[in-house]
Amino acid sequence: MEYATVCSGIEAPSVAWEPLGWKPVFFSEIETFPSKVLATHYPDVPNLGDMNLIDGTKYNGTIKLLCGGTPCQSFSVAGLRKGMDDPRGNLALVFLRIVDQARPKWVVWENVPGVLSSNGGRDFGAILGGLAELGYGWAYRVLDAQYFGVPQRRRRVFLVGCLGNWQAASAVLFEQASLRGEVKANPNGRVFKQQQSKVNSGAFYRFQRSDKFVIDTKSSTLSARDFKDFRDVYVNPYGVRGLTPLEYERLQGFPDNYTNIPGSKDGPRYKALGNSMAVPVLKWIGERIDLIDKILNKQ
């Protein structure tokens, strides 16, 4: 399957979907360090830069899936809930414009749970309504990375759209028993199977400003700001220290030293990893899309 991403960051989708044999057609990233990471790992894939400038008609019939995690600040408490009044929030509408032009069969969009209540739910409603007007059936679900094999709480809204088929979009995220490793037939008799996700409990703890510790089995949600005030630390018999970029990579499911490119510094690595999606969650979604797309092609 050929796909493209916008607001690509350091490309969690490509890391997740490479084992499926999927191929990226283009990326869209404007920040300097993530762009260097993309150029290092994917030198043959063009980075189109500003998504506002993308002409999706050039890729009509070329890409089968478009994925994007448009900036979440405008839909989070930290972003003061400006929602669609914030230019960053309006990138969600730019995403829909590219969908309309390129007409991919599948759409994957990610954001923070705050999007569900932003502007009384009207912002998210506008996104869902836009997809529907473009002819896409859709389903959305809040998924937490801690249940997909990484020791980090990271709840995110994932919206999946399928051109002309809401049942297929729903089956990606909501097939019964998908998280229990069971096998179950869908209404027309076809069988879907999903491997059970294994949770890897870690020894990461949360540092409080009061200099007290709240012991937990998993890291709190990583963010691009954590490295500035060392809110996430590792506790061992020898003392307390901040999490390293390597540990950030592991908490997000990336290969070791994925962001350790020539000339890299810790600050940009922390920021890029904190802004990224969790690789194992995208891997699960990609496997589900791959499975259901093959079923649809046989019908």
Side-chain angles (χ1 to χ4, degrees):
M1 184 181 294
E2 293 188 319
Y3 66 93
T5 69
V6 295
C7 300
S8 304
I10 53 176
E11 262 310 295
S14 290
V15 174
W17 297 339
E18 184 178 8
L20 296 174
W22 294 7
K23 303 296 182 182
V25 175
F26 69 78
F27 303 139
S28 172
E29 178 55 47
I30 60 174
E31 291 200 16
T32 301
F33 179 73
S35 296
K36 290 180 179 179
V37 173
L38 298 182
T40 299
H41 291 288
Y42 308 98
D44 298 326
V45 182
N47 178 4
L48 303 185
D50 188 352
M51 66 183 289
N52 287 285
L53 305 179
I54 294 176
D55 180 3
T57 61
K58 294 181 179 180
Y59 303 94
N60 191 306
T62 301
I63 60 173
K64 196 171 182 179
L65 183 152
L66 181 67
C67 178
T70 52
C72 61
Q73 293 93 337
S74 54
F75 296 126
S76 66
V77 175
L80 301 179
R81 291 292 181 84
K82 293 180 180 179
M84 289 298 181
D85 293 329
D86 188 317
R88 296 169 300 183
N90 278 322
L91 287 180
L93 300 183
V94 176
F95 180 81
L96 290 179
R97 189 260 298 165
I98 298 172
V99 170
D100 184 30
Q101 294 174 334
R103 306 302 289 173
K105 182 176 181 180
W106 294 96
V107 172
V108 176
W109 184 81
E110 176 261 8
N111 218 293
V112 295
V115 71
L116 299 176
S117 57
S118 175
N119 195 21
R122 289 183 287 274
D123 289 342
F124 191 52
I127 296 169
L128 298 180
L131 267 182
E133 287 184 14
L134 297 179
Y136 287 82
W138 48 261
Y140 66 90
R141 184 178 182 181
V142 177
L143 298 173
D144 193 331
Q146 68 175 308
Y147 300 116
F148 292 83
V150 291
Q152 179 199 176
R153 291 188 181 91
R154 192 176 188 86
R155 298 175 71 250
R156 291 293 185 268
V157 175
F158 285 89
L159 169 63
V160 173
C162 183
L163 187 59
N165 195 331
W166 68 265
Q167 294 97 332
S170 180
V172 170
L173 295 176
F174 289 102
E175 175 63 15
Q176 292 185 11
S178 62
L179 294 179
R180 299 198 300 271
E182 300 174 6
V183 177
K184 184 177 178 64
N186 71 356
N188 61 16
R190 297 183 182 275
V191 175
F192 296 151
K193 183 176 182 180
Q194 173 63 37
Q195 276 191 329
Q196 183 178 8
S197 298
K198 296 181 180 179
V199 178
N200 175 23
S201 61
F204 294 95
Y205 298 71
R206 182 72 170 177
F207 183 76
Q208 303 295 324
R209 289 291 184 177
S210 61
D211 294 329
K212 295 180 180 178
F213 292 90
V214 177
I215 299 177
D216 203 341
T217 57
K218 297 175 181 65
S219 169
S220 57
T221 303
L222 300 183
S223 77
R225 301 183 304 277
D226 280 352
F227 74 94
K228 293 181 179 179
D229 55 13
F230 298 101
R231 291 186 295 166
D232 288 295
V233 300
Y234 179 72
V235 180
N236 60 39
Y238 304 100
V240 178
R241 61 171 174 78
L243 296 181
T244 66
L246 175 62
E247 287 165 333
Y248 257 51
E249 289 171 339
R250 292 174 177 176
L251 286 170
Q252 288 284 53
F254 283 93
D256 286 1
N257 293 307
Y258 178 83
T259 58
N260 189 19
I261 62 174
S264 64
K265 296 182 180 180
D266 285 357
R269 292 178 68 187
Y270 282 121
K271 181 180 179 181
L273 287 160
N275 282 334
S276 180
M277 304 183 208
V279 171
V281 180
L282 285 170
K283 181 175 183 292
W284 181 80
I285 291 174
E287 289 171 345
R288 298 291 300 163
I289 290 176
D290 194 57
L291 170 65
I292 292 166
D293 192 67
K294 289 175 180 177
I295 291 173
L296 293 175
N297 290 337
K298 292 179 181 179
Q299 291 179 347

